[in-house]
Amino acid sequence: MHRILLALLPFLTAASAAVPRPGSGPLPGTGGAPTAPVAVVVELFTSEGCSSCPAADAALRELEMAQSVSGVEVIALGQHVDYWNRLGWKDPFSSPAFTQRQRTYAEGFGTGSYTPQAVVNGRYELVGSRRQALAETIAKAAKAPRATVRLTRTAAGELAVHITDLPAGTAPTEVALALTETGLSSQVGRGENAGRLLRHAAVVRELRTLGSVAPDGTFSATVPLPLAPGWKTPNLRAVVLVQEKASRHIVGVAALPLSPPGGAGRN
């Protein structure tokens, strides 16, 4: 018996080496490569005139920079509403279009419009400064089925958008393009934040609808990207949303930095 065990020892040693230890990660060649993170959109309705908003901006900016929600790519869409502008400080990034978008969400959620309000993938809303709740909501939203959204730059610098694989049962959807810029800040001179330097998460510079997804669940378009002279190209991204028209649920998203043509983004 002793001789048999000695003869088997090399085989037993080799077999035990091939069994991964808990937490040791996938073995080479076993197909255990990490999967791409799931993109989740956080829309923050905010204003430089609101004293409660800087904390929400900081929370979203931190999530955007650290990407600390496991398995998720957090895509920030800071949308500055204009209804605070009459209270002492006109937010230079505000737009009535963002105010209207927030009102549409509020009607669906049965809430009034308020700041700072975070809307996650069009499905959940909460006070944007609640950091832990925001991270948990992002992780929950990432579990929903999603479409495939692919973005590329053409040689002419336009944005090519291709959408496929809508989740089963998706209602009629539309496709929207947001152009965002990071690194923006303001020295506020009046209002509730007078004297403060406010630094923002990615600010939406432009938001427009590109069209509707076809009945077969696909969408393709090539979109020009006119950029304002004051925008800093290295800080810009194109974000494409696939959103149900009735529920406003976002069922697909991808982002692409507006670096020189040739890049690609997919989710």
Side-chain angles (χ1 to χ4, degrees):
M1 174 65 76
H2 183 65
R3 291 180 179 177
I4 294 173
L5 289 175
L6 287 175
L8 291 175
L9 184 59
F11 299 99
L12 293 172
T13 303
S16 63
V19 178
R21 297 184 305 277
S24 63
L27 292 170
T30 60
T35 57
V38 176
V40 173
V41 174
V42 180
E43 299 179 68
L44 179 63
F45 295 96
T46 184
S47 172
E48 290 185 350
C50 159
S51 61
S52 300
C53 289
D57 245 318
L60 182 55
R61 192 172 70 251
E62 180 182 309
L63 283 168
E64 179 184 35
M65 295 177 64
Q67 294 296 336
S68 53
V69 181
S70 179
V72 174
E73 177 194 2
V74 178
I75 297 178
L77 296 183
Q79 296 174 62
H80 291 230
V81 298
D82 68 346
Y83 49 82
W84 277 89
N85 289 354
R86 64 184 183 275
L87 300 176
W89 177 254
K90 185 176 181 179
D91 188 329
F93 306 115
S94 64
S95 169
F98 303 146
T99 298
Q100 183 54 52
R101 184 171 176 84
Q102 185 187 28
R103 286 174 179 161
T104 301
Y105 275 132
E107 291 171 1
F109 290 126
T111 64
S113 295
Y114 64 89
T115 55
Q117 183 181 31
V119 177
V120 181
N121 265 12
R123 295 175 179 270
Y124 312 102
E125 70 86 24
L126 69 159
V127 177
S129 55
R130 297 174 56 201
R131 293 176 181 243
Q132 185 60 35
L134 185 57
E136 292 171 356
T137 304
I138 291 168
K140 179 168 64 173
K143 297 176 181 178
R146 60 195 180 279
T148 298
V149 182
R150 182 171 177 81
L151 310 178
T152 55
R153 295 292 297 281
T154 69
E158 296 180 317
L159 180 70
V161 181
H162 300 283
I163 297 168
T164 57
D165 307 321
L166 258 65
T170 299
T173 56
E174 63 185 10
V175 181
L177 168 65
L179 300 180
T180 68
E181 184 175 356
T182 57
L184 294 172
S185 61
S186 292
Q187 184 69 50
V188 179
R190 295 182 302 278
E192 291 188 1
N193 290 315
R196 298 183 66 176
L197 175 64
L198 303 184
R199 303 184 187 277
H200 301 303
V203 173
V204 177
R205 288 297 207 170
E206 181 180 341
L207 179 63
R208 67 180 189 265
T209 301
L210 300 182
S212 299
V213 176
D216 66 356
T218 65
F219 177 91
S220 292
T222 301
V223 185
L225 294 172
L227 306 179
W231 300 351
K232 296 181 180 179
T233 304
N235 296 345
L236 296 177
R237 286 207 301 177
V239 180
V240 170
L241 312 173
V242 186
Q243 189 163 30
E244 289 187 335
K245 296 178 181 180
S247 72
R248 310 308 297 162
H249 292 172
I250 292 172
V251 297
V253 61
L256 181 70
L258 296 188
S259 48
R266 179 174 178 170
N267 215 295

